[in-house]
Amino acid sequence: MLKPTQCVHEGTIRSRIHQGVNSPIFTSTSAGYIDPEADALVYPRHFNMPNQKAVVDKLCALENGEAGLIFSSGMAAISTTLFALLQKGDHAVFQNDLYGGTYHHAAFNLQKYGIDYTFVDAKNLEAVEEAIQSNTRLIYIETPSNPLLKITDIAAVAAIAKRRNLVSVIDNTFATPINQNPLDLGMDIVIHSGTKYLGGHSDICCGAVITSCEIAKRIESCAHQLGGSLNASTCYLLERSLKTLALRVTRQNENALLISQYLQGCPQIETVYYPGLENHNGHELAARQMVGFGGMLSFELKLNSKSNAVSVKENSRRFLTHLQLIRPATSLGGVETIVCIPADTSHVEVPPKEKETMGIKDQLLRFSAGIEDPNDLISDIEQALKSF
Ligand SMILES: *Cc1c(COP(=O)(O)O)cnc(C)c1O
């Protein structure tokens, strides 16, 4: 089956009661256990409820994984995975431009439990090799990265991990399983914040881990105690959303490319960051390891002399207030196009000096392309650039 078909059909629970085409929602937290055929006690926090399994089956099909777990948030998936696979005295290598929550977990929580870490520029494979110590157990990457859409060579990192006997983990949230399948490139574990593209309608919070049966078992035993499971109703909403994942993401890929191309030709725009543009420094690599280039893009806005803004930040904020259709909002991956100033939102807590080295300027805007008609989106940007 191809992706759009898998999105619709994989994992669906066939109801024997009325032959419904959708999975029923199983809410019971208490279940009979005196059944010689049952091999485990069914309980939400044991990650083995029917609606949890239906979503896992669909995601395993989409990511070519053997097994997985559905969590109550992306961070529950990430923190549980790291706690399950690392212990006191271990060391992990993390890509340096990670999602903020993951960065904080690595830098503050893991350390409290005696787990050491190194952050590296994962584009530099020699630096990745050099960061590996005798007690290193795991490498963690995220590509495309937030918010500059930097591309890491997934197959190369996976090969290093294999050679050095480390577990390799990737946060595949930005790409989605429609655009990128890291397990096929040799990674051991794929993590998603389902709150973004998988949920896709900006109305549910969830996360997922897809991996091998062996690794899933190791994560599961820790997950039982940490307890970040997802309830049946939200699992059902996630399953419903996933049916249109391929449709949505294909449109978001197209919209992001069209918006990027438009912005590139605007005199008010300095630099556009989108892996689908030929002048993006990760374009060739992205073309090799991705099917589509994703729905995320960012760009730098030039200071507008007629806007009377007193600072670069205010100039960016002023531009946002002139957009009529595209909402300035946090998060990403929904059907609606949204925009934010990372220096004000995802990176607000990063000290100015660090922000500068990361390349996150006050004039940087991040777009999450939705599924609207691209002409409406471009018209909105056009009128805002004219009037701000
Ligand atoms: C949002 C996000 C997370 C965290 O997910 P939550 O569902 O908010 O816990 C992790 N990684 C990436 C890339 C994200 O965008």
Side-chain angles (χ1 to χ4, degrees), residues 72-78 98-102 140 142 144 146 171-174 191-196 204-207 331-332 366:
S72 55
S73 69
M75 279 315 301
I78 292 164
L98 286 182
Y99 174 73
T102 312
Y140 189 109
E142 194 175 308
N146 177 32
D171 184 329
N172 205 29
T173 301
F174 268 38
I191 298 184
H192 284 281
S193 166
T195 314
K196 316 296 166 52
I204 58 175
C205 184
C206 54
S331 200
L332 59 108
R366 188 192 77 182

Side-chain angles (χ1 to χ4, degrees), residues 97-100 146-148 341-352 355 358 360 364 366:
D97 36 15
L98 286 182
Y99 174 73
N146 177 32
L148 291 170
I341 305 170
D344 267 350
T345 56
S346 56
H347 292 71
V348 69
E349 283 172 35
V350 180
K355 249 189 288 216
M358 289 167 95
I360 296 166
L364 183 76
R366 188 192 77 182

Side-chain angles (χ1 to χ4, degrees), residues 260-272:
S260 300
Q261 286 166 339
Y262 168 77
L263 289 169
Q264 224 176 10
C266 289
Q268 303 97 324
I269 306 299
E270 192 84 59
T271 317
V272 183

Side-chain angles (χ1 to χ4, degrees), residues 19-80:
Q19 308 291 319
V21 296
N22 291 321
S23 300
I25 303 175
F26 293 91
T27 57
S28 199
T29 56
S30 174
Y33 68 95
I34 304 178
D35 177 352
E37 285 186 7
D39 53 12
L41 298 179
V42 178
Y43 190 60
R45 190 168 45 71
H46 290 176
F47 293 77
N48 57 6
M49 294 278 282
N51 293 100
Q52 294 169 335
K53 286 164 114 179
V55 177
V56 166
D57 288 350
K58 203 188 282 295
L59 287 176
C60 280
L62 288 169
E63 286 285 18
N64 289 324
E66 288 175 2
L69 294 103
I70 297 301
F71 290 87
S72 55
S73 69
M75 279 315 301
I78 292 164
S79 56
T80 305

Side-chain angles (χ1 to χ4, degrees), residues 171-189:
D171 184 329
N172 205 29
T173 301
F174 268 38
T176 82
I178 304 305
N179 287 328
Q180 183 168 282
N181 290 129
L183 299 180
D184 292 351
L185 299 170
M187 295 298 287
D188 296 314
I189 302 175

